[in-house]
Amino acid sequence: MDQKPTNTFNPSQHGIKESFRLTDYSDLRGWGCKVPQAVLTRLLEETNLDLSPNNTDNVKIGIGLDACLMPTRFENVSIIQTVDFFYPLIDDPYTMGQIACANVVSDLYAFGIYEIDKIQMILSICDQFSEHEVDVITPLIIKGFQDTGKAAGAFVVMQSATINPWCIIGGIATSVCSQKDYINPMNAQIGDVLVLTKPLGVQIACNVNRWRDNPAKWESVLNAISDEEANTLFDTAVQNMCRLNKNAAFLMHKYEAHAATDVTGFGILGHAENLVKFQEQNVKFVIHSLPFIKNVLSVAEAVNGKKKLLDGRAPETSGGLLICIPKDNADSFCKEIEEMDKSKAWVIGTVETGTKTVEIVNNVNIIES
Ligand code: MG
């Protein structure tokens, strides 16, 4: 996959006044912002779909999990599907397309699915764009999305393109699979460990880059790290967001993972809490280590965001997989994924007897990567 530098898109070179990311999203406060996790769960529960982790046919038409697993009329053939969409969080439309696609397919990877059949792209163009801006920005977003979809091995089509007050990039990812192709995310065993495959802090890293346009905030950033460190922080975040969780999904089978989820908008704690809730055994997750992108914590401290990061509540985009895996297999998993992805994974916790809660220990071990 193309891992080009990320701070290079210059709107003025394209005859555009501003980045598409700078569109006024203030109206989103009412409608477009993420629904709080508790509210979302309540809304979904009211749909009365089967949430029981004990349904005997081993097939979930589920909600609250990363993707929907649907039986078909063919024996041992299921369809697993997810839909997700995003608002731009960086300036470069091509890279934003890559990130959006990686984030869409990540929910399938969390099920251990590593062969994706089809991705249908959904795009809404901002009605504040001029015709020229539409002509420049749209093909770049689509190309970035397509390139990442191809890297995932999927057939990518444009499903829907509309005009809206906001630029929205997303899609539907589908895999046709048999039972051996997926790992139901509900079999965590006492004695397992928790592995995380990407470092935390990408949204703060994106904010740091955005604050270059905000003199007061930028001054706070420069009190904590240098301009060059801020660039490296942002580039590292973008590379992590662009990277598919495909190899992690593949290795989940090889190393007999018992359950996984991907870490996105609700932060590592929110997604860990969601995963533990669906476990068949009475377990709890104990998180003893939190890996962050280098310098994220220093910046977060300078802008009063450190507590949210250490509490595990800072939102991520296109984050890594959080995987419950047998303790004896974890080191080999981490070693092999580092060889494949050229990026580290970490053992960050343990699965213990408990009441389906998640605990981040006091004095959690901070890892900077
Ligand atoms: Mg997910």
Side-chain angles (χ1 to χ4, degrees):
M1 194 180 5
D2 188 3
Q3 292 282 3
K4 68 196 185 63
T6 46
N7 249 343
T8 54
F9 183 77
N10 183 349
S12 64
Q13 282 178 353
H14 297 271
I16 296 171
K17 280 181 295 191
E18 292 181 321
S19 155
F20 76 131
R21 191 260 303 160
L22 295 176
T23 307
D24 180 8
Y25 291 109
S26 54
D27 285 349
L28 281 175
R29 226 168 289 134
W31 287 97
C33 291
K34 207 168 241 317
V35 177
Q37 192 170 10
V39 177
L40 182 62
T41 302
R42 177 168 55 76
L43 294 174
L44 291 172
E45 277 167 358
E46 286 171 7
T47 62
N48 282 330
L49 287 174
D50 179 12
L51 273 173
S52 162
N54 295 320
N55 89 21
T56 49
D57 61 2
N58 204 28
V59 169
K60 305 287 172 229
I61 306 177
I63 52 172
L65 296 170
D66 289 302
C68 181
L69 183 56
M70 298 171 285
T72 68
R73 65 183 186 279
F74 304 106
E75 193 181 345
N76 193 26
V77 177
S78 294
I79 290 173
I80 183 164
Q81 197 165 54
T82 182
V83 59
D84 213 344
F85 60 85
F86 316 91
Y87 305 100
L89 75 164
I90 62 166
D91 289 334
D92 185 328
Y94 176 83
T95 310
M96 192 57 232
Q98 288 186 299
I99 292 169
C101 185
N103 207 357
V104 166
V105 295
S106 181
D107 284 324
L108 297 191
Y109 292 139
F111 264 78
I113 292 284
Y114 57 90
E115 302 285 1
I116 296 170
D117 291 291
K118 186 173 181 182
I119 306 171
Q120 295 153 276
M121 185 179 183
I122 300 167
L123 181 63
S124 118
I125 299 298
C126 175
D127 62 7
Q128 295 170 49
F129 289 171
S130 68
E131 196 177 331
H132 178 63
E133 285 170 328
V134 171
D135 287 348
V136 171
I137 292 166
T138 313
L140 287 169
I141 295 173
I142 293 171
K143 180 81 169 64
F145 194 98
Q146 275 181 327
D147 284 353
T148 293
K150 281 182 199 160
F155 179 55
V156 185
V157 296
M158 175 61 78
Q159 179 69 25
S160 168
T162 57
I163 296 177
N164 251 326
W166 311 295
C167 184
I168 298 171
I169 313 161
I172 303 159
T174 306
S175 183
V176 179
C177 57
S178 66
Q179 209 169 309
K180 68 173 176 36
D181 297 320
Y182 61 85
I183 297 170
N184 254 334
M186 49 197 59
N187 294 311
Q189 306 289 310
I190 291 152
D192 279 354
V193 294
L194 302 170
V195 166
L196 181 66
T197 64
K198 293 184 189 177
L200 303 167
V202 295
Q203 283 210 6
I204 292 195
C206 291
N207 287 344
V208 167
N209 195 54
R210 193 172 304 160
W211 291 334
R212 288 176 182 279
D213 306 326
N214 180 331
K217 286 274 193 185
W218 187 237
E219 194 182 327
S220 300
V221 170
L222 291 183
N223 283 335
I225 59 174
S226 70
D227 192 310
E228 195 182 337
E229 285 169 330
N231 255 331
T232 304
L233 170 61
F234 178 65
D235 280 350
T236 306
V238 170
Q239 280 168 21
N240 274 300
M241 288 189 286
C242 288
R243 176 156 52 86
L244 293 168
N245 286 320
K246 181 174 177 146
N247 291 331
F250 173 75
L251 293 175
M252 278 171 64
H253 292 266
K254 180 171 178 183
Y255 292 104
E256 300 169 331
H258 292 131
T261 190
D262 63 328
V263 179
T264 55
F266 297 128
I268 185 157
L269 184 63
H271 289 284
E273 285 173 340
N274 198 43
L275 184 63
V276 82
K277 218 169 52 190
F278 282 94
Q279 298 313 304
E280 291 194 341
Q281 288 197 21
N282 288 323
V283 295
K284 68 173 176 181
F285 296 165
V286 179
I287 294 175
H288 57 61
S289 300
L290 290 173
F292 294 100
I293 301 171
K294 193 177 173 198
N295 288 320
V296 145
L297 283 175
S298 311
V299 176
E301 185 158 29
V303 296
N304 295 323
K306 189 173 177 182
K307 184 173 184 308
K308 204 171 176 184
L309 270 179
L310 293 180
D311 287 348
R313 294 289 184 195
E316 304 291 326
T317 295
S318 191
L321 296 190
L322 176 68
I323 307 170
C324 303
I325 197 167
K327 185 173 185 287
D328 290 345
N329 297 352
D331 287 346
S332 301
F333 177 97
C334 291
K335 190 164 172 278
E336 188 159 350
I337 198 167
E338 187 174 351
E339 284 166 10
M340 293 175 90
D341 280 351
K342 312 292 177 230
S343 188
K344 274 186 182 301
W346 301 268
V347 174
I348 65 155
T350 51
V351 178
E352 301 177 13
T353 305
T355 53
K356 302 189 177 175
T357 57
V358 181
E359 174 193 338
I360 299 178
V361 301
N362 292 329
N363 298 318
V364 65
N365 177 35
I366 305 287
I367 302 163
E368 282 210 298
S369 178

